[in-house]
Amino acid sequence: MNNDKRREIFRRLKEANPEPTTELAWSSPFELLVAVALSAQSTDVGVNKATARLFPVANTPQAIVDLGLEGVKEVIKTLGLYNNKAKNLVAMCELLLRDHAGEVPRTREGLEALPGVGRKTANVILNTAFNEPTIAVDTHIFRVSNRTNLAPGKNVDQVEQKLLKVVPRDYKRDAHHWLILHGRYTCVARKPRCGSCVIEDLCEYRDKVDPA
């Protein structure tokens, strides 16, 4: 895929959705950090239901610590892996209070040092909360990047590095959200909706699905 085609892909995605953002509900960098940390193997809808119960009673590191491990478990028990997520969340809040005065760090190193926070979560926080041009690669973005031939790679790290290299600079900040939404609603896993895809003629996928 050449750069002209890549630029046209993002031009169309932007035209269709000028201001893309996460579907997680949040109103502060800390709330976003919590929501993303809870999202592993859970849907955004499920996470939003859990945080709708959690945030009214605890939406700061100190409030989470005060709620305690058992209290957090009770509130987020509808989520998969909730025991481990609650443990990481409380430990994360303790570290935020101890080392960062309760504030979410703005560096990758600071974020990745937090319990339960890996590179993908750090990328989401840097991008969505702090407007950094990072690209977090999840299963949707990995699929879209490989299927379209936009930024093929054998693993998420390869795809991330390729995207950072080939996405035009003026589209880089929002690329994460455009690609994840495209993968979630159009370029879906089992039967991509090629007939309603705004970039179908630019996509290099060989097995395009005709509309029913």
Side-chain angles (χ1 to χ4, degrees):
M1 180 173 287
N2 61 47
N3 288 332
D4 288 342
K5 191 180 283 189
R6 291 188 179 101
R7 175 168 285 278
E8 178 62 13
I9 283 175
F10 284 104
R11 188 197 69 77
R12 292 187 194 178
L13 292 174
K14 180 176 182 177
E15 184 177 58
N17 187 1
E19 296 183 2
T21 189
T22 179
E23 294 185 314
L24 292 169
W26 65 285
S27 60
S28 70
F30 177 71
E31 287 190 356
L32 180 63
L33 177 60
V34 172
V36 177
L38 295 178
S39 68
Q41 298 185 36
S42 298
T43 66
D44 286 0
V45 172
V47 172
N48 287 341
K49 288 179 179 178
T51 56
R53 296 188 298 271
L54 177 64
F55 291 157
V57 295
N59 70 341
T60 65
Q62 188 62 61
I64 295 285
V65 171
D66 291 344
L67 187 59
L69 180 59
E70 293 306 316
V72 173
K73 284 183 182 180
E74 181 63 28
V75 176
I76 69 166
K77 64 183 181 183
T78 54
L79 296 175
L81 309 175
Y82 75 92
N83 281 312
N84 199 46
K85 289 177 180 179
K87 181 180 178 181
N88 281 333
L89 182 54
V90 172
M92 178 177 75
C93 290
E94 290 173 343
L95 197 148
L96 286 173
L97 290 167
R98 189 189 74 197
D99 295 345
H100 301 283
E103 297 294 320
V104 176
R106 289 173 171 256
T107 65
R108 179 183 303 284
E109 295 74 22
L111 288 165
E112 290 187 12
L114 299 172
V117 176
R119 183 176 181 86
K120 184 175 75 173
T121 296
N123 277 336
V124 173
I125 304 306
L126 291 170
N127 177 262
T128 306
F130 301 132
N131 294 314
E132 297 287 339
T134 58
I135 302 176
V137 178
D138 70 347
T139 55
H140 296 298
I141 295 178
F142 183 79
R143 179 175 65 255
V144 170
S145 297
N146 276 286
R147 183 183 273 167
T148 63
N149 207 33
L150 173 69
K154 294 181 180 179
N155 54 55
V156 294
D157 290 334
Q158 287 184 8
V159 169
E160 180 187 340
Q161 294 309 311
K162 188 70 177 290
L163 285 170
L164 290 172
K165 181 179 179 181
V166 304
V167 174
R169 181 175 298 179
D170 45 330
Y171 294 114
K172 196 165 287 183
R173 193 192 72 177
D174 291 323
H176 164 79
H177 293 118
W178 282 318
L179 293 175
I180 195 171
L181 293 169
H182 191 68
R184 186 172 287 168
Y185 296 111
T186 302
C187 196
V188 296
R190 293 186 179 179
K191 191 177 181 181
R193 300 183 176 107
C194 299
S196 61
C197 176
V198 298
I199 61 169
E200 181 185 11
D201 59 312
L202 302 169
C203 171
E204 298 181 0
Y205 183 47
R206 294 181 179 179
D207 301 313
K208 290 179 183 174
V209 179
D210 292 328

